[in-house]
């Protein structure tokens, strides 16, 4: 196959950097190291059982569990190690934090420390691994606090507690029928497809834009009895279709891999909700702010979409813990704005009137 005229990720980053003559190149090197980790993970995912990487990660007395209390898959642990080994030596980072590590990762003493922080979910949607459904990696780049840069001290969890507006870059890799890297460095969103023969990401989806309107929504409806009234109202109105207040039919999807849902929404619009609910009072939402909601939020907003807690813009939220959970709504701008409006309005809405919960409900026997 001839080399196409498409830019590689490296070319793209160099061309972006030319617009900032003072830039050192550290940032580009960091993104390329992240991309390398994603390529390595893509390879392991592609080999699957051939490489013996499916199934739960064994631990003393059974299966290992991460700080979230979730069962760790072998590939969760392998992917976390790949992120670390691709990124710990280059001198660009002051530290890392991941879904799979209770505490921040310190750059080992033998390597130089840099000015960035890398936060990641090494394998999102990992419950889908064993059934061969798309999974992905999510990452976010922050600047380390100035005193960390000046002193080179060890990082602590509070160094990462920066609102999403402070992200310098964010993106994800999707390990689907093709492997894609979708990246924002704050100047729009670009999608790169891995050429597996060449081992390079090539720019295939420049300047991705999320359509502002949609007729497709994604939510785990098995949680409907725990939803708050504005979410019930929104979903009911979608389900009511042409004859309801929205006057149009909606389609529903739930892959249970947020990265795959985010990608579908970037490609053709839609809205994703994993809202705050009443299922477990100790968990105000399912998804994690720093390495799921914020990076996907930045990608959405940079592509003209919107990301929210349901009530307020996601990227403005001041984090209070490294592994903080939060309600997350993102996607087509006008739909997310509508959901925010429903949260802001006084609630005349009654569950009993809901097509979800009335006699002919979808969710009743
Ligand atoms: O851990 C995150 C995640 O796997 C997301 O990728 C996905 O959207 C969600 O959890 C699925 O959750 P549930 O199993 O409750 O539908």
């Amino acid at each position: 196959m001839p080399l196409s005229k498409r830019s590689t990720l490296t070319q793209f980053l160099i061309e972006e950097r030319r617009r900032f003559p003072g830039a050192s190149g550290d940032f580009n090197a960091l993104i390329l190291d992240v991309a390398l980790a994603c390529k390595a993970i893509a390879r392991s995912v592609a080999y699957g059982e051939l490489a013996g990487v499916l199934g739960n990660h064994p631990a003393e007395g059974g299966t290992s569990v991460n700080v979230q209390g979730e069962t760790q898959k072998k590939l969760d642990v392998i992917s976390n190690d790949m992120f670390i080994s691709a990124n710990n030596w280059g001198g660009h980072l002051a530290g890392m934090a991941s879904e799979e590590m209770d505490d921040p990762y310190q750059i080992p003493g033998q390597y130089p420390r840099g000015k960035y922080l890398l936060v990641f979910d090494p394998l999102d949607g990992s419950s889908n691994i064993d059934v061969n459904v798309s999974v992905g990696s999510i990452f976010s780049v922050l600047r380390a606090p100035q005193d960390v840069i000046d002193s080179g001290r060890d990082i602590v969890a509070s160094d990462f507690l920066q609102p999403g507006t402070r992200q310098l870059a964010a993106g994800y890799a999707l390990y689907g029928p093709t492997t894609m890297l979708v990246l924002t460095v704050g100047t729009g969103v670009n999608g790169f497809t891995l050429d597996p023969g060449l081992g390079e990401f090539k720019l295939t989806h420049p300047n991705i834009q999320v359509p502002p309107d949609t007729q497709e929504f994604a939510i785990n409806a098995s949680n409907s009895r725990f939803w708050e009234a504005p979410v019930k109202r929104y979903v009911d109105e979608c389900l009511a279709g042409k004859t309801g207040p929205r006057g149009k039919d909606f389609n529903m999807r739930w892959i249970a891999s947020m990265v795959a849902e985010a990608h579908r929404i970037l490609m053709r619009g839609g809205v994703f909700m994993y809202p705050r609910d009443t299922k477990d009072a100790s968990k105000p939402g399912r998804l994690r702010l720093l390495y799921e909601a914020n990076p996907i939020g930045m990608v959405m907003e940079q592509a003209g979409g919107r990301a929210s807690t349901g009530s307020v813009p996601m990227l403005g939220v001041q984090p209070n813990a490294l592994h903080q959970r939060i309600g997350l709504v993102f996607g087509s701008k006008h739909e997310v704005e509508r959901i925010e409006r429903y949260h802001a309005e006084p609630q005349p809405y009654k569950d009993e009137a809901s097509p979800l919960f009335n006699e002919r409900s979808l969710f009743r026997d």
Side-chain angles (χ1 to χ4, degrees), residues 176-196:
T178 60
T179 291
M180 285 194 68
L181 184 82
V182 172
L183 174 70
T184 178
V185 293
T187 53
V189 177
N190 291 283
F192 302 81
T193 303
L194 182 65
D195 176 335

Side-chain angles (χ1 to χ4, degrees), residues 27-88:
F27 179 77
N28 282 5
L30 167 59
I31 300 292
L32 290 174
D33 287 345
V34 169
L36 177 66
C38 295
K39 286 190 270 192
I41 296 168
R43 194 177 52 174
S44 286
V45 168
Y47 276 92
E49 195 50 24
L50 289 174
V53 295
L54 301 189
N56 293 340
H57 183 67
E60 222 173 287
T63 292
S64 68
V65 167
N66 67 13
V67 66
Q68 320 289 333
E70 292 163 350
T71 299
Q72 279 183 312
K73 297 284 180 185
K74 282 186 202 164
L75 266 172
D76 281 323
V77 175
I78 293 169
S79 306
N80 196 62
D81 290 348
M82 284 171 169
F83 256 89
I84 287 178
S85 57
N87 288 288
N88 68 357

Side-chain angles (χ1 to χ4, degrees), residues 19 33 261 293 330 336:
R19 304 198 284 142
D33 287 345
E261 321 257 16
F330 66 77
V336 178

